[in-house]
Amino acid sequence: MSQAHTLKCPACGAYLVYEPEKDKLVCPFCEAEFTQEQAEASWNAEPAAPAQGHTHEYHCASCGAELVTDDTTAATFCYYCHNPVTLMDRVSDEFHPDGMIPFAIDREGAVERFKTYLSKKWFVRREFFSQGSLEKLSGVFYPYWMGELSGEGDYQGEGTQVSVASTPKYDIITTRYYDIHRSGKIQYRQMMRKALEKCDRKLSDGVHPYRFNALRPFSTALLSGYLAHKRDVSRETAQTDMEQEAQENVKRVMTQGLHYDTLHGSATFRTTEANLRYLLLPAWVLTFRNRQEDAAYYYMMNGQTGNVCGKLPIHWGKLLAVAALAGAAVCGLLCLGGALLW
Ligand SMILES: [Zn+2]
Ligand SMILES: [Zn+2]
């Protein structure tokens, strides 16, 4: 059963968009405003859209046009009538997020910050920030797994302490050997993993961290007016990945505070409890494809904190002119080959 749903304005029948500044749902036509609770109540009162029969086929509830989406789209806009639509089966059952952080920076604020950011990156090619590009700046919810792992760490090793005593005739070197066994309970919190395979890890990590005190229960009302992706990374995959990180990290944790001249050993981590939550987190994103180079560039901004990360097209003329002046200092940048990452 495939349902596409638009959160309708209870006043005029148009649609509602979540407005971060006001923390309300606002109708762009009649300017009516509703709290999240009011909007959700009107949502529940509305009868469910009829099933369309095919799992990958959705129709806009407002104009009936077919919605063109990729496999991970969960919220989008109708290409024809521009109404925001949520694909209900992509945010329910196993894909129902455990929580989300709403946008705190609205479109206007995002455009402003983007312009300020680019004004400092003078060697970025101009076409990247033409008016046309700015219109493509999209508010997107990306799926993540946030995990909390509890477990037992264990370290077995051997340490030595070497001391030297000098007499008039001899240097006496004493080596003391220590068997070291340490074990303890370890808890890892807020381990983040992207839950969308195609999402560039450098970028998705680049805009972290988010402030999780603003975490709210998932609500389709908060998606309204934004794009959203559903996860395509399973809970199991994410957990395995987090356990691996815990495993790599446990040796450092278990040998903290040990002072030996040499130390050899190995550590293990055994998970006793894993708690993973599926979250949707907001970002403002601009992608730009250069056909001549067949290269994709990105700009991504944390929709809550404004942290920025990007891979932008470089105006080589400008950069090389400075490189000639600055000599080897720019070499590191050039080595990245056609793109800069912040
Ligand atoms: Zn309205
Ligand atoms: Zn439509």
Side-chain angles (χ1 to χ4, degrees):
M1 187 168 83
S2 307
Q3 290 179 17
H5 201 117
T6 297
L7 189 55
K8 301 249 188 220
C9 169
C12 76
Y15 56 84
L16 295 176
V17 172
Y18 177 73
E19 189 77 55
E21 297 267 291
K22 296 177 175 154
D23 188 18
K24 281 193 171 156
L25 284 119
V26 177
C27 171
F29 296 93
C30 72
E31 292 176 4
E33 291 179 8
F34 304 90
T35 63
Q36 186 187 333
E37 290 71 29
Q38 288 167 332
E40 279 164 2
S42 75
W43 171 284
N44 292 336
E46 208 171 289
Q52 302 295 336
H54 302 281
T55 24
H56 283 290
E57 207 174 283
Y58 298 88
H59 290 274
C60 172
S62 302
C63 76
E66 192 178 334
L67 296 167
V68 181
T69 68
D70 64 19
D71 283 349
T72 61
T73 302
T76 184
F77 294 87
C78 170
Y79 184 77
Y80 298 95
C81 71
H82 302 287
N83 274 6
V85 263
T86 303
L87 308 181
M88 294 310 286
D89 61 342
R90 294 185 178 184
V91 289
S92 45
D93 301 327
E94 62 170 317
F95 293 110
H96 187 274
D98 299 312
M100 67 193 294
I101 292 177
F103 273 88
I105 298 169
D106 64 10
R107 166 170 291 279
E108 222 170 85
V111 167
E112 217 39 61
R113 282 159 187 260
F114 180 58
K115 284 181 176 164
T116 312
Y117 173 78
L118 283 178
S119 66
K120 292 178 194 150
K121 312 283 181 197
W122 49 267
F123 45 80
V124 171
R125 284 203 303 265
R126 308 301 297 180
E127 66 263 34
F128 192 72
F129 47 106
S130 64
Q131 199 52 44
S133 313
L134 285 178
E135 276 157 25
K136 287 187 204 126
L137 189 68
S138 316
V140 186
F141 282 99
Y142 284 100
Y144 287 91
W145 284 109
M146 181 165 79
E148 201 176 286
L149 292 186
S150 304
E152 275 152 23
D154 191 84
Y155 178 80
Q156 304 270 6
E158 189 187 75
T160 64
Q161 275 176 350
V162 182
S163 58
V164 182
S166 296
T167 66
K169 267 187 147 178
Y170 302 105
D171 281 343
I172 302 162
I173 301 168
T174 311
T175 305
R176 292 184 178 81
Y177 293 86
Y178 297 89
D179 259 337
I180 301 158
H181 182 202
R182 282 187 144 189
S183 62
K185 289 188 168 46
I186 304 177
Q187 196 177 49
Y188 294 91
R189 288 200 199 97
Q190 289 189 6
M191 297 179 101
M192 299 303 297
R193 285 293 176 280
K194 67 177 178 116
L196 182 65
E197 204 51 65
K198 67 187 170 193
C199 188
D200 190 319
R201 172 113 192 224
K202 280 200 192 86
L203 283 168
S204 64
D205 288 358
V207 298
H208 282 269
Y210 284 86
R211 291 192 293 266
F212 289 100
N213 53 1
L215 200 63
R216 292 197 201 175
F218 173 74
S219 160
T220 40
L222 299 175
L223 292 186
S224 201
Y226 300 92
L227 304 172
H229 286 284
K230 81 171 173 79
R231 65 175 176 84
D232 61 0
V233 173
S234 70
R235 180 183 294 268
E236 292 69 31
T237 306
Q239 187 176 329
T240 307
D241 207 36
M242 288 175 192
E243 283 174 340
Q244 199 177 331
E245 186 190 327
Q247 184 64 49
E248 284 162 13
N249 177 273
V250 71
K251 191 169 172 180
R252 193 180 55 76
V253 174
M254 298 301 292
T255 55
Q256 255 169 21
L258 290 181
H259 300 289
Y260 292 96
D261 294 319
T262 65
L263 182 65
H264 301 284
S266 61
T268 55
F269 178 79
R270 193 175 60 84
T271 308
T272 52
E273 208 186 317
N275 180 10
L276 269 72
R277 285 197 285 169
Y278 169 35
L279 305 178
L280 293 182
L281 304 179
W284 286 99
V285 181
L286 185 67
T287 58
F288 172 84
R289 176 155 281 282
N290 186 307
R291 286 199 193 80
Q292 288 144 12
E293 295 170 18
D294 192 29
Y297 298 103
Y298 309 87
Y299 164 88
M300 190 163 175
M301 185 179 85
N302 185 313
Q304 180 194 31
T305 66
N307 284 354
V308 157
C309 160
K311 182 183 168 195
L312 307 180
I314 304 304
H315 191 298
W316 289 105
K318 279 190 190 175
L319 192 61
L320 290 171
V322 172
L325 294 172
V330 197
C331 173
L333 299 178
L334 298 176
C335 295
L336 287 168
L340 287 182
L341 285 163
W342 282 274

